Amino acid sequence: MNDNIHILTHPLLQHKLTILRNQNTSTKDFRELVSEIAMLMTYEATRDLPLEDVEVTTPVATGTFKTICGKKLAIVPILRAGLGMVDGVLKMIPAARVGHIGLYRDPETLEPVKYYCKMPADIAERDVIIVDPMLATGGSASAAITFMKEYGCKHIKLMDVLAAPEGIARIEREHPDVEVYVAGLDDHLNSHGYIVPGLGDAGDRIFGTK
Ligand code: PRP
Ligand code: URA
C-alpha cells in the first residue's frame, strides 16, 4: 500500500464504525453516525492545510498566531450516499463549497453510471475532497476522480468510511496521486460487489429506502 493510503484507527472512529455495521442500528442513528465519522475524518484529512501568521490582540496582549491560509476547498459528495457525509465535513470546514456528482452502480456490470453534476464555478482552483461512505470495487470513486481531473482540479483527496482491498488497489493503480482516507478496511467483496463484512447498502441505510 502506498503512502497516500491512510487507514484511520482513532478509537472513536472504530467504535462508531462498529455501531454502523450492526444491522439493528436505526436509520436515524446510522445517519447521525455517518455525519460524526465524516467530521472526525475531516480532522485527519486536513492535517496538511497550510498555516500563516496573523497578529491578534487578546484582552491581555498582542501576539502573532497561526491561521489557515486562504485555501479554497470544495467537498464533492458522490450521490446519493455521499450526501450523508457533507454536514460532518462542513462542521469542520464551514467555508467550503459543495459540488455534487450523481453516480450509481449498475447492479449487473458494477460499473458507475453518471446522472448528475453541478460544481462551483471556480472548481479548478479549489482543493477537492470527494466523499462517499463506501469504496467497494472503486469504480465510482475512480470515475469521480477522473471527472474532477477533467475539470482541471489538481489536488484531490478521497474520503470513504469503509473500503475493500479491491477498491484501494484500484485507486492506487488508476490515481496514485490521490490521497485516500478510510476509517475501516474490510476483507473482500462478495459476488454482488458488497463489502464483506461491511455495513450493507450505505445509501439505503442513510435514507431508509429498504
Ligand atoms: C454505493 C456507494 C458508492 C458505490 C461504491 O453507491 O455509495 O458510491 O456504491 O461501489 P463501487 O466502489 O463498487 O463503485 P450506490 O451505487 O449503491 O448508489 P447510492 O449512493 O445511490 O445508494
Ligand atoms: N455500496 C454499498 O453501499 N455497500 C457496499 O458494500 C458496496 C457498495
Side-chain angles (χ1 to χ4, degrees):
M1 225 180 274
N2 77 33
D3 289 347
N4 279 351
I5 310 297
H6 307 273
I7 316 288
L8 307 179
T9 56
H10 193 288
L12 287 172
L13 284 172
Q14 293 191 54
H15 177 82
K16 289 173 191 294
L17 179 53
T18 297
I19 305 174
L20 276 192
R21 292 181 186 280
N22 190 328
Q23 62 178 351
N24 295 321
T25 297
S26 69
T27 299
K28 172 182 175 290
D29 289 348
F30 193 95
R31 194 183 299 134
E32 286 173 4
L33 283 160
V34 167
S35 178
E36 287 171 13
I37 288 171
M39 187 174 74
L40 295 170
M41 292 184 77
T42 304
Y43 181 80
E44 296 284 352
T46 51
R47 273 188 185 281
D48 59 351
L49 280 183
L51 295 169
E52 62 188 3
D53 287 337
V54 59
E55 195 174 276
V56 169
T57 303
T58 77
V60 181
T62 296
T64 303
F65 306 98
K66 298 293 179 193
T67 186
I68 291 172
C69 295
K71 196 87 185 158
K72 290 174 143 190
L73 291 171
I75 309 158
V76 176
I78 302 178
L79 306 184
R80 106 197 116 129
L83 286 176
M85 298 176 72
V86 173
D87 274 7
V89 180
L90 285 177
K91 280 201 178 108
M92 292 289 102
I93 323 174
R97 302 298 164 89
V98 182
H100 295 84
I101 301 182
L103 293 175
Y104 69 87
R105 256 190 352 172
D106 183 294
E108 301 299 325
T109 65
L110 300 184
E111 283 305 308
V113 180
K114 180 152 71 81
Y115 61 88
Y116 184 76
C117 178
K118 182 76 183 174
M119 291 295 149
D122 59 354
I123 190 70
E125 295 155 34
R126 291 181 178 270
D127 286 5
V128 168
I129 305 177
I130 297 173
V131 296
D132 190 336
M134 307 303 272
L135 181 64
T137 65
S140 305
S142 184
I145 294 166
T146 301
F147 200 51
M148 298 318 297
K149 287 181 176 174
E150 285 168 3
Y151 264 104
C153 301
K154 297 197 175 41
H155 299 108
I156 301 170
K157 290 180 178 177
L158 173 68
M159 221 165 79
D160 292 272
V161 174
L162 192 57
E166 293 89 334
I168 296 276
R170 183 159 179 177
I171 302 301
E172 277 187 303
R173 196 170 60 244
E174 297 180 359
H175 300 287
D177 54 311
V178 169
E179 298 219 39
V180 180
Y181 297 82
V182 301
L185 177 59
D186 273 8
D187 197 56
H188 65 280
L189 294 178
N190 69 15
S191 57
H192 302 289
Y194 275 81
I195 298 176
V196 182
L199 50 77
D201 186 306
D204 282 337
R205 295 198 65 190
I206 290 170
F207 297 109
T209 40
K210 225 170 219 167

